[in-house]
Amino acid sequence: MQWLADADGARRFVGAARADRQTVGLVPTMGALHAGHAALLHALRPQVDRLVLSIFVNPTQFGPHEDFARYPRDLAGDQAWAEAAHVDAVFHPATSVMYPVSPSTFVQVEGIDRVLEGAVRPTHFRGVATVVAKLLNIWTPDIIALGQKDAQQVVVVRRMMQELLWPTRLVVVPTVRERDGLAMSSRNVYLSPAEREAAVVLHRSLDAAERAVRGGVRDAVRLGAELAAAIQSEPLAQLDYAVVVDAATLAPVAQVAGRVLVAVAARFGATRLLDNCCLEVEGEAVRTVLP
Ligand code: AMP
């Protein structure tokens, strides 16, 4: 497994792979890896010849009062996860590699970057789209993998790739959960034991919402209100949103029909956690799908 730290090294790696007619897959992360990230690596491993993991805590996707400085970092742990997943190269660039000058060029997916997460974090998706565009420029991968947990990120990156004419295929990997259902996240380490216990309310409430849809509920506003009430019944949860939106446009829907994303965000102490489920509803039939 090679460690690469700059764009030239990455381009030489890709050039050698292409010369051997090999395909390249990329899993972009911010490190502090856990089994959720590993699922992305395992999903791509059989699909590509050369598997690349990038680890970069991207400053432009953090707001001024967010946790950039204290975001968890664990390169030794990341190396162990990467080796176990048979990664061929780890790309761990310095900020000066990804942002060689004070940035004035950004990629922005207007509209869908301002709802849900974007309503509370107005520059977050501009940072995400910009760094993913840079990684695509450097690595020109055949496939990238993103996790369902960050469903809005999937929608934004998919739209960016479509509009910027990237031929790269996007693979979405289902959310990996702890035993009690909490979605794995690098930020879970911030939770106190009581908050950690309380945080399971997100998954429980989403499960109840999915059961309601399977039971015939089609009123999206009522579903969202019940979901919100279920989360608010947990005293340690401070709800940001609990919504039912169109899975492609992220616009609110009145009826649960077609592909809908049921998305929640709440704070537990200072830690903001997300979760979602994505459903395809056609008449009576309800299927769990990926965003
Ligand atoms: P991050 O390091 O948090 O930026 O995440 C890197 C990638 O891993 C993103 O595509 C995330 O959606 C994905 N990811 C993070 N947690 C999980 C999880 N629990 N299950 C599946 N994918 C995840």
Side-chain angles (χ1 to χ4, degrees), residues 33-290:
L33 300 189
H34 49 66
H37 300 108
L40 306 192
L41 296 170
H42 290 299
L44 282 202
R45 182 64 280 184
Q47 301 193 45
V48 293
D49 299 311
R50 309 297 269 167
L51 179 60
V52 180
L53 162 71
S54 74
I55 299 173
F56 179 62
V57 184
N58 173 34
T60 64
Q61 71 188 69
F62 289 80
H65 305 294
E66 292 180 6
D67 56 344
F68 173 68
R70 66 182 194 113
Y71 192 82
R73 288 157 171 90
D74 176 16
L75 281 184
D78 295 348
Q79 169 149 5
W81 281 109
E83 275 167 3
H86 305 289
V87 163
D88 295 299
V90 180
F91 184 52
H92 179 53
T95 303
S96 59
V97 168
M98 298 304 279
Y99 296 96
V101 292
S102 171
S104 55
T105 305
F106 294 96
V107 178
Q108 187 162 5
V109 183
E110 291 182 350
I112 52 176
D113 69 334
R114 288 305 173 102
V115 299
L116 307 183
E117 284 306 282
V120 210
R121 309 179 72 191
T123 56
H124 173 67
F125 289 109
R126 184 182 80 161
V128 169
T130 301
V131 81
V132 173
K134 286 170 188 257
L135 290 169
L136 292 174
N137 280 333
I138 294 170
W139 286 97
T140 62
D142 298 275
I143 314 184
I144 65 166
L146 298 178
Q148 172 189 4
K149 184 176 76 69
D150 302 282
Q152 187 172 7
Q153 171 166 282
V154 170
V155 175
V156 167
V157 169
R158 182 183 287 132
R159 183 66 183 255
M160 185 265 293
M161 287 168 63
Q162 180 193 8
E163 289 197 40
L164 294 186
L165 309 173
W166 274 99
T168 303
R169 192 153 70 83
L170 170 58
V171 169
V172 182
V173 177
T175 303
V176 177
R177 300 180 178 283
E178 303 286 356
R179 245 169 222 275
D180 64 358
L182 176 67
M184 288 191 180
S185 163
S186 305
R187 289 190 168 102
N188 290 351
V189 299
Y190 299 148
L191 298 168
S192 71
E195 289 162 356
R196 167 65 189 82
E197 222 172 280
V200 75
V201 72
L202 298 181
H203 177 245
R204 285 218 187 104
S205 312
L206 282 166
D207 254 8
E210 179 170 344
R211 277 198 305 277
V213 174
R214 290 188 186 281
V217 172
R218 294 292 181 269
D219 180 338
V221 179
R222 184 183 133 198
L223 191 70
E226 284 174 2
L227 184 57
I231 295 169
Q232 280 163 328
S233 74
E234 166 51 61
L236 292 183
Q238 275 195 293
L239 182 69
D240 268 347
Y241 58 79
V243 290
V244 186
V245 296
D246 181 282
T249 64
L250 304 182
V253 294
Q255 285 294 308
V256 182
R259 266 181 186 242
V260 296
L261 178 72
V262 187
V264 299
R267 273 165 294 137
F268 297 83
T271 308
R272 220 163 149 274
L273 300 180
L274 310 181
D275 206 342
N276 69 78
C277 71
C278 195
L279 300 172
E280 189 170 70
V281 181
E282 271 178 36
E284 302 273 283
V286 178
R287 279 201 314 138
T288 308
V289 292
L290 291 168

